[in-house]
Amino acid sequence: MKADEARDAGKAAGAGLRTGTGLIRDIHGGISHGVYAVVDALAGPAARPIRVVQDTITEGVYAVTGRGLDVGSRLVGAAVAARKARSGADHASLHDGPAAHHVIAIGSGLIDDSLVGQVPSLRPTMHVRERGTRVELTREGVGAAYPEATDEIAVFLHGLVETEAAWRLSAKTRPPYADRLRADLGLTPVMVRYNTGLRVSENGRLFAGLLADLVEAWPVPVRRIALIGHSMGGLIIHSAFAQVEDDPATQWRGLVTDTITLGTPHHGSPLARGAFAATAWLGRSRHTRTAAQVMRARSGSVRDLAHGNILAADWESLDVEELVDGRTHPAPAMGILHRAVGAAWGKAHPDGGHDRLSDFLVPVTSATHAHLAGEARRFTEDDIAVVHGTHHLGLLNSEETYQHLLRWLTPATP
């Protein structure tokens, strides 16, 4: 942990403890409210002064406790930071820690970026990683990271609250897609990490820039790029295309031959839509006020996942808590083979239906961008697949999913 990370970790922990104290206070208040409702019914107005005194004392205790935990955590973080600064040693970053980077990914993915920005050293940035370290997108940096680089690249983009480590799910029992595509097709895998709490449109813009820098720094001339995204990563891929489609100077755009999205909520996620309703419901009572504040502080990307926004124009004219589908539906990038895989918990339905068996996070209709009247579909029927007997995270490493990747990415024989 570096000095600035220790200081920011103290700030983040303090804010979290203060919020947690508020949640406990509200639960206590809700229970107390129910008890006093019974007492009022039995004793009448005589019991109300006791209730006022008790509520006042309780509010004060929780306020002092919350502030004390906040200040205490900040002081501890500052003390650790000062000690590390005095040591002069080059400490490892939390972003490279085997466990810490997962915690950072979850926090930054769920919390509004304006709040994450208050602890800048903990805020993830979009970059390429190889063998557990950041790759600088220079000729020297990329050459050192990929000494056996081929002219065909497979870029992997993870989903919400994940990191590139997600692609190694179940690696002890089955080799990851990246390793298998390298062995079977000679595709050099490139793993990307990014701040999943940013708006999808912002990450799409950053991803387009990263691809441009990657192609420029690649050790050999690039002949082919395949883009593979899990969950929200697939939206970012399509967002990048939508933001550079009209720019003929974008070199990487002409090198992409395939995109494959795995469990991507092209039409949004029911869970993300439910967050809007939950926020409104929680905001009705003073006993759930802190929970409502927490929900309102959810990240822009979680809001985007309600309908599958990929451009700023899809949401910027709407009220932040308004559950309205404002998508502009840009057409899919031309000249590229776009494919999609959805997950379904159960076995295939006899009539070919999937929805009632779908992964509850991303229904099959959303994962395959089912047809909407008057809007261009991103995939043809021949370019979609449904993997049964698995779930959203299962798509990160399943044999059936890999066979679809292999089939789609194998070059056609003349």
Side-chain angles (χ1 to χ4, degrees), residues 233-250:
L235 292 180
I236 293 170
I237 289 171
H238 284 276
S239 174
F241 280 110
Q243 296 185 68
V244 303
E245 184 67 22
D246 297 328
D247 184 359
T250 305

Side-chain angles (χ1 to χ4, degrees), residues 347-353 356-357:
K347 297 179 181 179
H349 196 262
D351 63 5
R356 60 181 175 172
L357 303 174

Side-chain angles (χ1 to χ4, degrees), residues 58-190:
T58 301
E59 286 283 340
V61 169
Y62 278 114
V64 171
T65 301
R67 280 194 288 268
L69 290 171
D70 189 359
V71 172
S73 295
R74 290 170 184 263
L75 289 175
V76 171
V80 174
R83 180 163 57 83
K84 288 183 175 294
R86 285 194 302 271
S87 73
D90 185 17
H91 299 283
S93 171
L94 285 174
H95 294 280
D96 297 329
H101 79 274
H102 289 296
V103 176
I104 292 173
I106 293 169
S108 60
L110 297 179
I111 301 171
D112 187 86
D113 192 61
S114 64
L115 299 176
V116 177
Q118 296 175 18
V119 286
S121 69
L122 303 182
R123 189 175 188 239
T125 59
M126 182 172 285
H127 63 282
V128 171
R129 296 186 70 83
E130 177 66 10
R131 292 188 292 274
T133 60
R134 182 184 184 119
V135 177
E136 297 300 328
L137 295 186
T138 63
R139 285 279 183 175
E140 296 76 15
V142 174
Y146 302 98
E148 299 179 356
T150 64
D151 60 359
E152 297 184 86
I153 305 172
V155 181
F156 290 82
L157 209 59
H158 59 77
L160 180 71
V161 305
E162 297 172 354
T163 70
E164 76 289 347
W167 293 106
R168 300 196 67 81
L169 182 71
S170 303
K172 292 183 178 179
T173 57
R174 185 185 302 108
Y177 300 148
D179 296 353
R180 300 179 74 175
L181 288 176
R182 174 162 36 197
D184 293 342
L185 299 179
L187 290 164
T188 302
V190 173

